Amino acid sequence: MILELAQFLLVLAIAPLVTGIIRKVKARMQSRRGPSIFQPYRDLRKLMSKGSVVSHDASWLFNITPYVCIASVAVAALLVPVMYASTFGFIGDLIVLIYMLAMMRFFMALSALDTGSAFGGMGSSREMYISSVVEPTMLLSIFAMALVAGTTSLASIAKLIASSGLDLVSPALFLAAAAFFIATLAENARLPFDNPSTHLELTMIHEAMLLEYSGKQLALMEMASMTKLVIFLAILSNVFFPWGIATEATPLAVMVGLLVFIVKIVLLALVIALIESSISKMRLFRLPNLLTSAFILSLLAVISYYILGVS
Amino acid sequence: MYGQMLLPLLISVSLAGTLLSIVTKRWERICRVAPFIAALAASVVGLALALEVLLGGGEPSFTIPTAVPALGHFAFVVDRLSAFFVLTISSVALCVCIYSIGYTREYAGRYSPATMGLLFNVFLLSLFLVVTASNAVLFLIMWETMSLSSYLLVTYENRDREKVSAGLLYFVMTHLGTAFISVAFIIMWLYTPGEHSFDFAAFRELGAGGLLPGAMRDLAFVILLIGFGTKAGLVPLHVWLPQAHPAAPSNVSAMMSGIMVKTAVYMLVRCYFDFLEVTDSWWGLVVLLVASISALMGVLYALMEDDIKRSLAYSTVENVGIIFIGLGAAMVFQSYYYADPLTNAHLADLAALALIAVLFHTLAHSLFKGLLFMGAGSVIYATHTRDMEKMGGLAKRMRWTGILFFIGALSVSAIPPFSGFVGEWLMFQSLLLTQNINDPMVNVLLPVAVAVLALTGALAAACFVRIFGAVFLARPRSKHAAEAKEVPRTMLAGMGIAAGASVLMGVLSVFIIPVIDGVTSSVLGVSISSKLVNGLVLLPSTGEFSSMSPLVIGALLLFAIPLAFLATRRLGGRHTVEQGDTWDCGTPLNSRTEYSATGFSNPINRIFRSIYRPHTEVRTEYASSTLVKRKITFSTNIEPVFERYLYAPVATFVVALARRVGIIQKGSIQAYLAYIFVILLVLLVVFR
């Protein structure tokens, strides 16, 4: 119980740090020194101390969205294993997790439309378009893992794969992991889908949706997005490659689990930073090509399970 | 025990309602209200009847004497399956009746309230009787009453050409469906044991006794799917639905989309599981395939519509597709169970799970689609247009309508913990559990169905972001929208009950599912609620496959949102909120600079171009020289694929055939008498 709660708090606590690390690595690759990896915490603190300006075209929806977003991400964070393969899993499985994040997206897209700005509409429209192509990929790739492990509970998948050594390693695992990684980039507004550091009006997607938010409301929205990224990275590292995660609640196992998790997250952050430094944003209407290949990968993962796995 | 009295009471209250609308015809104000009060009373009686049967048991019945013994017993029997659909009908009708009291003011002085009251009561009664009839002939009579009364309601605004022609399409399609259903019943009747009988009791022996030969069973399966698929709006038989549902007055649309399409689900469950027995796995796979196509096509077309009610109607096509995906899964499980009942005992549980998902989503969809259509009706009541591009900014002008519509949008977009989500979650679980079937065909096809369901879910969310955004958010796009006022309280009350029910159904699903399990166990003979529900948690399968607790999710959200709100106020000082302008890059914003509904869905239009086949036209008018443009017109529309490539050729063929046959129409009485004589001779020779 305490460990589960600690995991949840850890996800929230390190969310700005992960974003900070990615930014730092990117800056280094561009031969800049870059801000400290703790800069996102300072940004959040600063935003929290500022007032908000709300458009007079906006309705009640615009004002409640930041709270709903942070709450839905928090509930999703309860379901993700971090260093110990057990969560508040009875609340929901991976389908619930994906739909909690869909809830956040639903509110965010609506709030973007609410101010009547063309940028908001653009962001909202593009976000819903990309997400509708990503969602099948995301579900199928985790389903492939659910088939391998025989459960849709994230913690149980992690536990089963981690404790069975290399027995469950199969092509399905790698295919699904690749598909899910592409989905992670798309869902979290990373390159090549969206440029997180852009403020060029015509190319932004995620930023365009947040454009009208300011002060405390912006802080909540930023925090929600950062947490979402950590949730995805945690799934990537603990559902697809859970080795090292604590399967028992002994202090040593948990410490090892924590260390391994940090290493994995930092590695993933490095990979993302590397990708973002080496490729450019794709044209909006070229994205389905990449996303369809990700979808095919996830479908192959499921089918390969049946062809190779069951015997 | 008083269940036995409730059914006659229900019928007499409904009939009283029809009488009332005729009697009060002269006093328009009373006439607008009285028939709906009667219908409301009928719904309350229906609710009591359904709960009595679902919670208590017993099978109340009501028999009407018939003069023709060959047709069997004309009886209405409320077994558990019927009771569940009586519950669905009465809970939606209850909300719609309250809503209608205010809504009919829309037609004051233009169309007769007596007609509306009369037809509404007949329609409601026929819905109740369709799901309780226990004789094929009686069922068809009720089915026709339902179809005709709803046809007359669709064409209620009979001075509007477009609505009349939409009604005609509905009229043709529904009778096509009825023809198929009749043939299926006749096939079953031919094989009933002993003396041929139209009673459902006799039909039930068909499956149990294995009396139908294989080919006839398959034929009956296909014909029933076409017949009832027409009413349910399965692609490609859906073409009437997006025309007729929007043409009807909004309270009737709510009834048609919410309930009427579900009568087809009712009868298919009854026919397939009760009468025919699902023993071939390809039946389920066919249903799955058709259902997946329906779900995807439905939502794709919903995304392209500017007409709010038509968009909602396409969303009904989508949701019926989702319901049929569950039905297909249940059929697949059931067939594999029958193939080897001893080793596949666990598959019977999974069939029950899939059927629970079907019924749960049926009830959930009835409530939230009823709510959404009532919401659309309110918006149209206030703005006098169905075009979403002319709405906007209504969340501020019609606050309560906005909030209630939003609850409907959350439910239909499968956002946890609302009812739509729980239904889809159960659907996902039952599809995932097909891994228990050892058949490569099933194992490869089912992940595709999962992907379709996921894609449909995401597109549905996009669709309702689009609808809610265009209708309720940002600035008004027309004068009517700017001057919109909140609708009367009765309308809000009707929507409010439906919205409350949608929320509670999701959050309290752990208490509702055991009741539904009682229904499915009466159909399949397997009860799984003891395994499925554990305290506040749903566990869909044996073993630790997965679990979910909508109640806890709801509670967590209810706790986390205020917590976030309070924490924000605490941290970093006071929260000041200023009003300001939207960032405009220096160009003043107006209603034309907002993102339009068409613009919103354009990216989706582009990636699904091969399905939509969009046609875009840009026309430029020049003044004096080609350098001075006077006007640029942009128009875009998508190709109606099914109408053009499926229905148009058939219609052309039928018309051509009629012309050919027309040759024998000489117009002289002697010729016709000669025809009759020849036919008589032929018949005498053949049937000597």
Side-chain angles (χ1 to χ4, degrees):
Chain A
M1 193 67 185
I2 295 170
L3 268 176
E4 279 91 345
L5 205 64
Q7 295 196 92
F8 164 69
L9 294 175
L10 186 71
V11 169
L12 294 185
I14 63 165
L17 184 65
V18 174
T19 303
I21 294 174
I22 295 180
R23 285 192 192 150
K24 183 78 175 176
V25 176
K26 272 173 78 179
R28 280 297 161 95
M29 287 190 174
Q30 294 160 354
S31 308
R32 289 187 287 122
R33 186 184 287 163
S36 144
I37 54 171
F38 299 105
Q39 188 60 36
Y41 292 100
R42 294 177 198 143
D43 291 346
L44 285 179
R45 200 181 66 196
K46 183 152 193 178
L47 284 173
M48 282 306 273
S49 66
K50 297 211 167 208
S52 307
V53 182
V54 175
S55 160
H56 44 60
D57 292 322
S59 65
W60 49 266
L61 192 97
F62 186 84
N63 287 316
I64 63 162
T65 296
Y67 309 109
V68 175
C69 284
I70 197 85
S72 56
V73 162
V75 173
L78 282 174
L79 310 176
V80 193
V82 177
M83 65 266 190
Y84 175 46
S86 163
T87 58
F88 298 101
F90 69 92
I91 299 170
D93 55 357
L94 57 93
I95 303 170
V96 175
L97 180 111
I98 287 175
Y99 276 84
M100 286 313 295
L101 297 175
M103 177 177 189
M104 168 179 165
R105 182 168 58 227
F106 191 82
F107 274 85
M108 214 182 249
L110 278 174
S111 70
L113 285 171
D114 202 9
T115 53
S117 132
F119 301 130
M122 213 176 280
S124 170
S125 156
R126 290 172 180 178
E127 170 83 4
M128 294 316 282
Y129 141 76
I130 291 178
S131 70
S132 57
V133 196
V134 177
E135 205 153 288
T137 309
M138 223 161 38
L139 269 172
L140 271 192
S141 53
I142 313 188
F143 282 169
M145 301 312 295
L147 289 175
V148 172
T151 163
T152 62
S153 149
L154 290 166
S156 310
I157 298 177
K159 190 168 195 165
L160 206 89
I161 296 182
S163 57
S164 62
L166 297 178
D167 292 349
L168 289 174
V169 174
S170 65
L173 187 93
F174 294 102
L175 289 166
F180 192 80
F181 184 71
I182 299 176
T184 303
L185 295 181
E187 274 287 310
N188 289 286
R190 314 303 307 190
L191 283 171
F193 297 92
D194 186 7
N195 188 346
S197 50
T198 188
H199 277 96
L200 180 64
E201 291 93 340
L202 293 175
T203 58
M204 57 187 176
I205 301 175
H206 183 75
E207 284 297 316
M209 292 203 293
L210 304 187
L211 201 61
E212 288 299 322
Y213 277 110
S214 53
K216 293 192 174 202
Q217 295 178 333
L218 182 60
L220 288 176
M221 298 294 265
E222 293 281 7
M223 181 64 195
S225 308
M226 291 174 192
T227 314
K228 186 177 166 191
L229 177 64
V230 175
I231 289 176
F232 271 88
L233 297 185
I235 294 175
L236 206 52
S237 52
N238 282 340
V239 173
F240 295 94
F241 305 102
W243 296 282
I245 196 168
T247 47
E248 292 153 41
T250 56
L252 180 70
V254 172
M255 284 310 290
V256 172
L258 184 62
L259 269 175
V260 173
F261 176 73
I262 291 172
V263 172
K264 281 192 240 178
I265 287 280
V266 171
L267 272 178
L268 283 170
L270 282 176
V271 172
I272 289 179
L274 195 68
I275 290 174
E276 296 210 325
S277 309
S278 52
I279 57 174
S280 59
K281 187 181 174 305
M282 274 173 107
R283 257 193 74 205
L284 191 67
F285 291 106
R286 296 276 302 280
L287 292 180
N289 300 348
L290 182 56
L291 290 171
T292 322
S293 8
F295 174 70
I296 299 295
L297 284 178
S298 61
L299 195 62
L300 280 178
V302 175
I303 292 172
S304 78
Y305 165 78
Y306 285 117
I307 295 175
L308 307 170
V310 202
S311 50
Chain B
M1 260 305 76
Y2 56 90
Q4 193 66 302
M5 283 141 51
L6 286 174
L7 194 55
L9 183 66
L10 172 78
I11 297 172
S12 38
V13 170
S14 262
L15 290 176
T18 58
L19 273 180
L20 208 58
S21 55
I22 300 168
V23 173
T24 59
K25 195 175 173 192
R26 277 203 207 151
W27 305 283
E28 198 184 303
R29 285 202 161 181
I30 301 172
C31 190
R32 263 204 326 255
V33 177
F36 290 106
I37 301 281
L40 181 66
S43 323
V44 173
V45 175
L47 208 58
L49 173 66
L51 291 178
E52 163 85 9
V53 175
L54 287 175
L55 302 177
E59 287 191 1
S61 62
F62 176 67
T63 313
I64 32 179
T66 40
V68 193
L71 296 179
H73 306 285
F74 274 21
F76 300 101
V77 179
V78 191
D79 63 2
R80 279 171 182 260
L81 185 62
S82 296
F84 179 77
F85 281 86
V86 169
L87 175 75
T88 310
I89 294 168
S90 44
S91 47
V92 176
L94 187 91
C95 309
V96 173
C97 289
I98 299 174
Y99 175 86
S100 300
I101 294 170
Y103 179 73
T104 40
R105 239 184 269 174
E106 167 90 350
Y107 297 107
R110 294 195 294 144
Y111 293 97
S112 154
T115 318
M116 168 77 96
L118 176 78
L119 290 171
F120 190 91
N121 272 291
V122 173
F123 182 43
L124 180 60
L125 181 62
S126 63
L127 282 167
F128 277 123
L129 296 184
V130 156
V131 297
T132 51
S134 76
N135 173 293
V137 177
L138 184 62
F139 173 83
L140 283 175
I141 294 171
M142 290 308 145
W143 185 262
E144 266 307 291
T145 316
M146 176 180 87
S147 299
L148 288 178
S149 55
S150 56
Y151 159 71
L152 291 172
L153 283 166
V154 167
T155 54
Y156 179 66
E157 291 173 60
N158 53 18
R159 289 190 287 276
D160 186 334
R161 279 270 171 100
E162 199 191 322
K163 290 183 175 167
V164 173
S165 74
L168 187 65
L169 178 64
Y170 170 46
F171 189 79
V172 172
M173 288 302 290
T174 188
H175 283 92
L176 199 70
T178 311
F180 276 95
I181 298 167
S182 314
V183 173
F185 282 164
I186 289 171
I187 291 175
M188 289 197 254
W189 172 76
L190 279 174
Y191 289 92
T192 43
E195 270 189 51
H196 296 320
S197 167
F198 279 111
D199 285 348
F200 283 175
F203 282 12
R204 220 161 266 143
E205 288 170 38
L206 288 173
L211 299 171
L212 270 175
M216 280 299 156
R217 278 162 39 82
D218 293 347
L219 186 65
F221 159 73
V222 174
I223 291 177
L224 285 168
L225 188 64
I226 296 174
F228 288 110
T230 311
K231 186 60 94 184
L234 285 182
V235 171
L237 300 164
H238 68 288
V239 286
W240 64 272
L241 200 150
Q243 305 286 334
H245 287 206
S250 294
N251 53 345
V252 178
S253 316
M255 297 278 284
M256 288 175 74
S257 252
I259 318 171
M260 193 180 73
V261 296
K262 309 294 164 35
T263 57
V265 177
Y266 158 76
M267 207 47 198
L268 279 182
V269 170
R270 178 144 298 212
C271 288
Y272 288 164
F273 290 96
D274 232 11
F275 300 164
L276 296 179
E277 303 266 311
V278 191
T279 49
D280 294 301
S281 63
W282 68 267
W283 288 16
L285 292 177
V286 166
V287 172
L288 260 175
L289 185 72
V290 175
S292 303
I293 295 172
S294 281
L296 196 55
M297 284 305 202
V299 72
L300 281 175
Y301 282 112
L303 267 162
M304 289 301 132
E305 278 298 336
D306 293 336
D307 179 331
I308 178 170
K309 283 177 78 176
R310 198 167 287 175
S311 195
L312 290 177
Y314 272 120
S315 154
T316 298
V317 174
E318 173 223 331
N319 275 285
V320 164
I322 293 176
I323 290 170
F324 274 71
I325 287 179
L327 187 66
M331 290 167 73
V332 170
F333 285 127
Q334 187 75 354
S335 63
Y336 279 93
Y337 166 67
Y338 276 133
D340 194 354
L342 288 176
T343 50
N344 289 337
H346 61 294
L347 292 184
D349 289 0
L350 300 184
L353 174 70
L355 204 57
I356 287 175
V358 167
L359 294 184
F360 189 91
H361 201 69
T362 299
L363 180 57
H365 177 253
S366 295
L367 284 167
F368 64 66
K369 191 49 66 70
L371 168 62
L372 287 168
F373 263 111
M374 285 190 272
S378 300
V379 168
I380 296 164
Y381 184 94
T383 60
H384 305 289
T385 175
R386 274 161 44 187
D387 188 352
M388 290 195 279
E389 307 282 26
K390 295 199 176 77
M391 297 176 184
L394 296 181
K396 277 194 273 184
R397 287 161 190 83
M398 302 169 68
R399 199 185 177 87
W400 286 107
T401 305
I403 292 172
L404 295 172
F405 193 92
F406 190 60
I407 292 174
L410 286 173
S411 304
V412 70
S413 308
I415 304 294
F418 294 89
S419 56
F421 170 73
V422 180
E424 276 195 30
W425 188 82
L426 289 169
M427 256 354 137
F428 270 123
Q429 296 298 339
S430 50
L431 286 179
L432 279 177
L433 288 162
T434 46
Q435 57 167 311
N436 290 304
I437 294 175
N438 215 346
D439 180 335
M441 183 73 175
V442 175
N443 291 338
V444 174
L445 271 182
L446 265 296
V448 178
V450 169
V452 168
L453 200 53
L455 182 60
T456 308
L459 287 171
C463 177
F464 280 87
V465 165
R466 175 179 184 262
I467 293 179
F468 193 81
V471 174
F472 288 99
L473 300 181
R475 289 177 295 276
R477 295 190 179 85
S478 71
K479 201 167 139 270
H480 277 310
E483 290 165 359
K485 292 223 166 52
E486 187 59 284
V487 293
R489 284 207 191 122
T490 42
M491 291 169 76
L492 290 177
M495 288 190 280
I497 297 172
S502 283
V503 175
L504 289 182
M505 205 185 147
V507 177
L508 300 181
S509 44
V510 279
F511 304 111
I512 295 165
I513 284 171
V515 178
I516 298 180
D517 178 67
V519 178
T520 53
S521 67
S522 77
V523 178
L524 299 174
V526 183
S527 168
I528 59 166
S529 70
S530 54
K531 294 177 206 160
L532 182 59
V533 180
N534 180 4
L536 301 177
V537 183
L538 293 174
L539 305 151
S541 113
T542 47
E544 302 221 321
F545 188 73
S546 57
S547 65
M548 194 258 289
S549 177
L551 191 60
V552 179
I553 297 173
L556 279 172
L557 284 173
L558 219 57
F559 170 72
I561 294 172
L563 186 72
F565 189 78
L566 288 176
T568 328
R569 257 141 203 73
R570 277 296 168 105
L571 294 172
R574 224 158 54 85
H575 188 201
T576 55
V577 179
E578 270 175 65
Q579 290 262 312
D581 287 332
T582 303
W583 168 238
D584 59 3
C585 299
T587 318
L589 296 173
N590 56 36
S591 60
R592 315 246 327 177
T593 54
E594 291 172 54
Y595 234 60
S596 63
T598 313
F600 185 89
S601 49
N602 191 44
I604 291 169
N605 188 340
R606 281 187 70 161
I607 51 170
F608 291 102
R609 202 165 14 191
S610 51
I611 292 172
Y612 289 130
R613 299 159 175 268
H615 180 78
T616 309
E617 199 178 301
V618 182
R619 210 180 290 156
T620 318
E621 277 177 40
Y622 298 100
S624 62
S625 89
T626 51
L627 296 174
V628 188
K629 288 175 182 167
R630 181 187 295 156
K631 194 168 146 194
I632 300 176
T633 352
F634 171 87
S635 68
T636 179
N637 54 337
I638 55 172
E639 192 174 4
V641 177
F642 294 100
E643 284 85 343
R644 188 160 298 168
Y645 297 106
L646 185 64
Y647 286 88
V650 172
T652 321
F653 172 75
V654 171
V655 171
L657 193 70
R659 288 244 171 77
R660 282 286 164 80
V661 178
I663 294 173
I664 61 167
Q665 258 183 337
K666 297 284 184 201
S668 78
I669 193 105
Q670 288 94 331
Y672 293 147
L673 284 173
Y675 294 154
I676 292 172
F677 182 64
V678 172
I679 293 285
L680 195 65
L681 277 183
V682 170
L683 286 177
L684 279 175
V685 172
V686 174
F687 297 101
R688 235 168 328 146

